[in-house]
Amino acid sequence: PKTDIVFLKVHKSASSTVMNILFRFGEMHNLTFAFPQGGGFQLYYPHHFLARFVQGFSPHSPRRFNILCHHMRFLQPEVQKVVPGSAVYFSILRNPVQLMESSFVYYKGASAFSRVRSLEQFLSQPELYYDPSRGDRHYARNLITFDFGFNPDGDASPERVQLMLKAIEASFDFVLISEYFDESMVLLKEMLCWDLDSVVSFPLNSRDSRTRSTLPASAVERLKAWNRLDWEIYTHFNRTFWARIHRDIGGERLRREVAVLRARQAELARTCLQGSGSVGPKDIQDSSLRPLQHGGARILGYNLKQGLAGELERTCRRLVTPELQYSSLLYKKQFPPQPP
């Protein structure tokens, strides 16, 4: 199994669920994480990543960390200073239409969104509300492009797009697609030589469907034009994702493995969870399992069954522990507080 991993956590793309998978694997195999300084939750995002943002990094020491997975703005020469040269690099993308709809609800306080009632209103005249000099501009334009380290206001000429795609392909071993999450997990398992239980998950940091909205076709076209760079990245890596699946796994085996994965997840849901799955924030009984609520989104969580024993309780709890709580837990384990 591969144990040295860089995961670029692209916003609003099922990346919190992938992060939970990496947290669980790292914890089980006693791996080290490249945590933000002081136990924070982002690596000084939205600044480009620097090695000195990592707790315990020293330019004078050869120490390397196994897993780098917290939010960052990618800058490979700096990333290479904190992980082994053999590290596998991957990310996950989401259709920019749904990504921006989610970003609008989640980051409603961002400067570009704060003066509009709806995403449709913003898309009708984005230049009116969007200020490229603002530090939070990336939430409103080409968020994928920004997270990969490029300029979200850059020129979208075919030549520039090709350069950007080639740069991503040179840095990343593979890119997953969140709309095909189970298929992505089968590919992840294959690429990292992991077992099935390492890639099972329950969706984390997901929104109540009542806060989702569907855009009319005209607004969708405007959104694609406004987020042209993101659209180019997404469509390209959607193609390479399926090419990789067909080359390395094949359609027949993919269907079999997806079915096995879903059956295992359903079995774990029956074993671990009260009721039929996720619940609203007010209905989460254990406050330590309540995810952070942000913007206009209602972030769902889970209730565990009562009376789960020892190792099973631990397995179930890890599957539903929200990102911030899990990150804090692992940070304290890796950097135990010094006694006074």
Side-chain angles (χ1 to χ4, degrees):
K2 304 276 196 295
T3 54
D4 298 324
I5 293 158
V6 174
F7 172 55
L8 179 63
K9 189 174 186 291
V10 172
H11 285 77
K12 316 314 303 161
S13 303
S15 55
S16 293
T17 308
V18 177
M19 197 178 191
N20 177 273
I21 287 168
L22 296 174
F23 279 168
R24 285 174 8 234
F25 186 87
E27 185 180 23
M28 180 178 283
H29 293 85
N30 250 339
L31 304 178
T32 56
F33 289 87
F35 284 108
Q37 283 280 3
F41 303 112
Q42 299 195 340
L43 289 153
Y44 289 80
Y45 186 88
H47 299 285
H48 271 107
F49 176 80
L50 296 174
R52 63 182 171 82
F53 296 164
V54 172
Q55 178 81 41
F57 169 78
S58 160
H60 312 297
S61 145
R63 181 180 186 187
R64 294 286 185 272
F65 299 89
N66 300 115
I67 299 178
L68 174 59
C69 62
H70 286 74
H71 269 310
M72 63 171 161
R73 190 174 183 207
F74 189 67
L75 187 61
Q76 190 165 17
E78 289 290 316
V79 167
Q80 287 168 329
K81 294 176 185 176
V82 301
V83 294
S86 58
V88 176
Y89 288 66
F90 79 100
S91 187
I92 188 165
L93 303 180
R94 183 183 185 185
N95 185 310
V97 177
Q98 283 76 49
L99 175 72
M100 193 173 190
E101 188 274 328
S102 179
S103 185
F104 179 80
V105 175
Y106 204 77
Y107 301 111
K108 189 70 182 74
S111 55
F113 296 149
S114 58
R115 292 182 294 134
V116 294
R117 288 185 313 280
S118 66
L119 181 54
E120 223 178 312
Q121 184 187 347
F122 173 81
L123 290 167
S124 66
Q125 290 178 290
E127 292 84 359
L128 195 63
Y129 308 107
Y130 178 83
D131 178 353
S133 69
R134 296 296 290 263
D136 61 359
R137 76 193 193 284
H138 51 285
Y139 293 124
R141 187 174 205 191
N142 289 317
L143 183 51
I144 296 170
T145 304
F146 184 87
D147 284 356
F148 273 93
F150 303 102
N151 177 7
D153 299 305
D155 157 41
S157 67
E159 297 77 20
R160 185 179 182 281
V161 165
Q162 281 310 307
L163 281 172
M164 186 172 67
L165 295 176
K166 282 191 167 62
I168 296 171
E169 287 193 319
S171 299
F172 287 82
D173 296 286
F174 58 99
V175 175
L176 307 175
I177 300 293
S178 70
E179 283 79 15
Y180 304 101
F181 192 81
D182 293 342
E183 292 83 354
S184 289
M185 292 307 100
V186 170
L187 182 62
L188 183 69
K189 178 168 86 71
E190 182 81 5
M191 300 307 291
L192 299 181
C193 305
W194 286 8
D195 63 9
L196 177 75
D197 268 13
S198 295
V199 298
V200 297
S201 63
F202 298 144
L204 293 176
N205 205 32
S206 57
R207 259 189 313 152
D208 186 335
S209 58
R210 283 172 293 186
T211 65
R212 297 172 197 260
S213 57
T214 308
L215 290 169
S218 57
V220 167
E221 290 313 310
R222 286 196 296 272
L223 189 156
K224 286 182 191 172
W226 176 247
N227 289 316
R228 174 71 192 282
L229 295 172
D230 275 11
W231 187 251
E232 294 285 356
I233 293 173
Y234 176 77
T235 51
H236 174 81
F237 285 103
N238 193 6
R239 278 197 301 275
T240 63
F241 171 76
W242 290 107
R244 175 64 65 87
I245 290 265
H246 290 304
R247 192 187 78 204
D248 292 354
I249 298 172
E252 189 50 47
R253 193 174 131 218
L254 177 71
R255 280 187 288 278
R256 277 201 313 273
E257 295 222 8
V258 165
V260 171
L261 176 67
R262 287 175 179 165
R264 178 64 179 136
Q265 285 173 172
E267 180 192 352
L268 279 165
R270 286 191 300 272
T271 304
C272 296
L273 304 179
Q274 285 183 35
S276 56
S278 55
V279 295
K282 289 195 185 72
D283 298 318
I284 300 167
Q285 294 151 11
D286 181 342
S287 60
S288 71
L289 297 179
R290 198 169 290 141
L292 174 74
Q293 302 299 311
H294 200 283
R298 281 179 80 242
I299 307 299
L300 304 173
Y302 298 91
N303 286 317
L304 291 178
K305 279 187 175 162
Q306 301 297 306
L308 296 169
E311 193 55 36
L312 179 61
E313 200 274 345
R314 192 180 157 285
T315 299
C316 293
R317 180 167 289 275
R318 292 294 187 259
L319 277 162
V320 301
T321 299
E323 175 185 326
L324 304 192
Q325 288 93 311
Y326 207 158
S327 183
S328 295
L329 189 104
L330 293 174
Y331 177 80
K332 289 191 187 99
K333 203 170 168 182
Q334 190 166 313
F335 299 103
Q338 296 302 306

